[in-house]
Amino acid sequence: MSDAPDSVLLLAYGGPTGPDEIRPFLDGVLRGRPVPPARYEQVVRNYLTVGGASPINRLTMLQAEGLRAALAAVGPALPVYVGMRHWRPFISETVESMAREGRRRAVGVILAPHPSEVSRDSYVHAVDEARARLGPDPLAVDYVPDWSDHALFIEAVAARVSGTLETVPEPRRRDASLVFTAHSIPVPMARASGYAEQVAKTAGLVCRRLGLGAWSIAYQSRSGNPADPWLEPDILDALRTLAGRGARDVVVVPVGFVSDHVEVLYDLDIAARGVAQDLGIGFHRAGTVGDHPVFLQLLAHLVRQAARIAP
């Protein structure tokens, strides 16, 4: 078929791969938007604290390689390209490279489970801008549908949660508090996209699969004007609330992220863990789905579905 896809375009946020890239990366993210100098320097320190780089580029490449292998096993065997919104390889560079190599139609996969203006629309816009520069007959991109409640995503997250629950001392395991986190966004943006409802739906489906009844949602890594309303509660406030209720252990599940990066490695593993320790709460963080085989199976299924091969 002439309109069959001949490639996959995997889209992710991107991040600095070394200390010398931190400031150029942040400047690109901000694009001239005013940020208090103290806040800017704090983010720089956060990156330096976790090793001076973000692992998201490397981890996304592993996801791309895993998806490539999964597609080769079940068909169609398609090349998988990676485009980053905020670092190399930039989306514009990748789209240009795909066109130069003769790609005509791609399946687009945005590596963010819960769509919103910042987690989906901005990626589509970046791809459209890159396509517009290709001329009158640009690369076509068909995006996979929402997958935040797909059974395979739920299975992959549940597997990560189950493994983490095993790290809670057995006498306290059944009483551990389960908190799902996602990136906070402005309240009006969340209302427009149904973001919060989708995060809650994912969390509920994961708990149903595991047979767990009690769970909660918290948000993290908010930025922007402190006076503007963003989704709450913040994970640090949620931990304090749990401590006030007598919680001894918390299992934090970053369900809004599919790869580790500074929001996970610093905001959760260092900042949230530190607050939990001060409160006397055992802190256990579930892994992101990353290159879990079931998550790669999901990506392959979505690509096959977009290519009209899978139901």
Side-chain angles (χ1 to χ4, degrees):
M1 293 175 57
S2 60
D3 62 347
D6 56 19
S7 53
V8 178
L9 176 57
L10 212 57
L11 300 162
Y13 194 84
T17 62
D20 59 328
E21 296 177 354
I22 296 173
R23 293 177 187 276
F25 164 76
L26 292 177
D27 293 342
V29 171
L30 293 172
R31 295 185 179 182
R33 294 195 304 273
V35 171
R39 173 58 183 162
Y40 184 98
E41 294 303 324
Q42 179 60 59
V43 176
V44 172
R45 288 193 295 273
N46 292 354
Y47 274 102
L48 293 173
T49 301
V50 300
S54 169
I56 189 172
N57 293 31
R58 175 179 56 83
L59 296 174
T60 303
M61 293 302 176
L62 287 176
Q63 290 171 324
E65 184 56 40
L67 173 57
R68 193 176 297 117
L71 289 172
V74 299
L78 299 176
V80 180
Y81 296 82
V82 172
M84 300 291 189
R85 185 173 162 217
H86 289 299
W87 202 243
R88 295 183 288 268
F90 290 105
I91 290 172
S92 58
E93 298 170 343
T94 300
V95 169
E96 182 181 348
S97 176
M98 294 172 72
R100 191 167 54 246
E101 294 176 18
R103 305 301 173 189
R104 304 289 297 167
R105 190 171 209 95
V107 175
V109 183
I110 301 169
L111 290 173
H114 305 104
S116 71
E117 180 182 330
V118 290
S119 62
R120 180 179 176 88
D121 298 353
S122 59
Y123 289 86
V124 174
H125 179 67
V127 171
D128 286 346
E129 283 189 330
R131 293 174 60 244
R133 290 193 286 269
L134 297 178
D137 190 22
L139 170 78
V141 180
D142 303 311
Y143 294 93
V144 302
D146 172 45
W147 42 272
S148 62
D149 60 353
H150 195 286
L152 291 174
F153 181 57
I154 302 306
E155 181 181 347
V157 176
R160 296 300 197 201
V161 174
S162 180
T164 304
L165 280 168
E166 293 296 318
T167 68
V168 180
E170 199 280 329
R172 307 202 307 260
R173 189 173 302 156
R174 63 180 297 173
D175 296 322
S177 298
L178 202 59
V179 181
F180 291 84
T181 69
H183 206 300
S184 185
I185 63 174
V187 169
M189 186 187 298
R191 287 176 179 160
S193 62
Y195 178 85
E197 291 80 5
Q198 292 178 75
V199 172
K201 184 176 183 181
T202 301
L205 289 170
V206 171
C207 289
R208 184 184 305 171
R209 181 177 179 87
L210 293 171
L212 302 173
W215 52 275
S216 61
I217 299 287
Y219 296 93
Q220 58 169 96
S221 312
R222 72 155 289 169
S223 57
N225 189 336
D228 293 337
W230 283 52
L231 291 176
E232 296 177 336
D234 181 80
I235 180 60
L236 304 185
D237 293 329
L239 291 172
R240 296 183 183 104
T241 298
L242 289 171
R245 295 173 180 169
R248 299 178 64 190
D249 293 276
V250 61
V251 173
V252 175
V253 186
V255 74
F257 307 90
V258 300
S259 289
D260 289 356
H261 43 86
V262 72
E263 283 86 351
V264 175
L265 300 178
Y266 184 87
D267 295 351
L268 293 183
D269 290 355
I270 294 177
R273 185 185 301 275
V275 169
Q277 289 175 343
D278 290 344
L279 294 168
I281 299 176
F283 185 91
H284 313 267
R285 198 264 292 174
T288 53
V289 289
D291 60 350
H292 190 285
V294 176
F295 184 61
L296 298 179
Q297 183 184 350
L298 166 66
L299 296 182
H301 173 80
L302 292 171
V303 170
R304 285 168 54 81
Q305 188 178 52
R308 300 178 177 83
I309 295 173

